[in-house]
Amino acid sequence: MAEEKENIFARRVKDLMKENRYSQKKLCEICGITEAAFSRYMTSGRMPRTDVLANIANTLHTTSDYLLGNDTHYGYDQLKILLASSKDDLSKNQKISLMKILMDEYSRPEDE
C-alpha cells in the first residue's frame, strides 16, 4: 500500500509540473528545497515533510491530499478554494477556458 501511495505522489506531481510548465529546478526554487531532496521524493519513495508537501501542493495549485492519493477528485468546496487561491496566477486564456467549461455545462438542457 505504501508503494502505491508513493507512485501516486510521483505521478501526480509530474503531471501537475507538466500542466503548470514547471521544471524540477523551478519547482525546487519556488518551494525552497534542493533538487537532490526532490529527486528522492520522486524516485526512492521518500515522502516530504508536511511543510514541504504543503509548499509543493500550493505551488502546483492543488491539495496535499490530492498529491498523496487521498482525494481522487475535487468537489465544489475544493474547486472554490483552488480557484480563489490561484486566480491571480491564471492567464486570461485559462480563465476564459474555465468559464467556457462552466457555461457549456450550464447551457445544457436539464434532461441530459
Side-chain angles (χ1 to χ4, degrees), residues 11-22:
R11 186 175 61 243
R12 289 184 175 182
V13 168
K14 287 177 189 175
D15 289 346
L16 289 169
M17 285 174 59
K18 183 176 180 180
E19 184 179 309
N20 287 283
R21 297 183 179 152
Y22 283 128

Side-chain angles (χ1 to χ4, degrees), residues 12-112:
R12 289 184 175 182
V13 168
K14 287 177 189 175
D15 289 346
L16 289 169
M17 285 174 59
K18 183 176 180 180
E19 184 179 309
N20 287 283
R21 297 183 179 152
Y22 283 128
S23 65
Q24 178 175 319
K25 181 176 182 174
K26 181 68 174 176
L27 183 69
C28 290
E29 286 174 7
I30 293 169
C31 294
I33 56 177
T34 66
E35 288 187 66
F38 182 79
S39 180
R40 284 190 296 273
Y41 304 147
M42 300 302 287
T43 59
S44 71
R46 186 170 173 198
M47 296 305 290
R49 296 184 325 256
T50 55
D51 60 322
V52 174
L53 177 63
N55 284 342
I56 293 170
N58 288 333
T59 301
L60 295 174
H61 309 292
T62 192
T63 64
S64 299
D65 278 337
Y66 177 76
L67 292 180
L68 294 173
N70 297 329
D71 278 343
T72 57
H73 68 282
Y74 293 119
Y76 172 78
D77 290 333
Q78 291 142 326
L79 285 172
K80 184 177 168 185
I81 291 166
L82 287 172
L83 285 172
S85 67
S86 62
K87 67 179 171 31
D88 294 335
D89 297 331
L90 297 173
S91 70
K92 183 177 179 180
N93 286 339
Q94 289 171 322
K95 290 175 184 176
I96 290 169
S97 176
L98 288 172
M99 288 173 36
K100 284 182 181 178
I101 291 168
L102 291 172
M103 294 308 293
D104 286 346
E105 185 65 27
Y106 179 72
S107 65
R108 289 184 186 170
E110 289 201 26
D111 59 333
E112 283 188 21

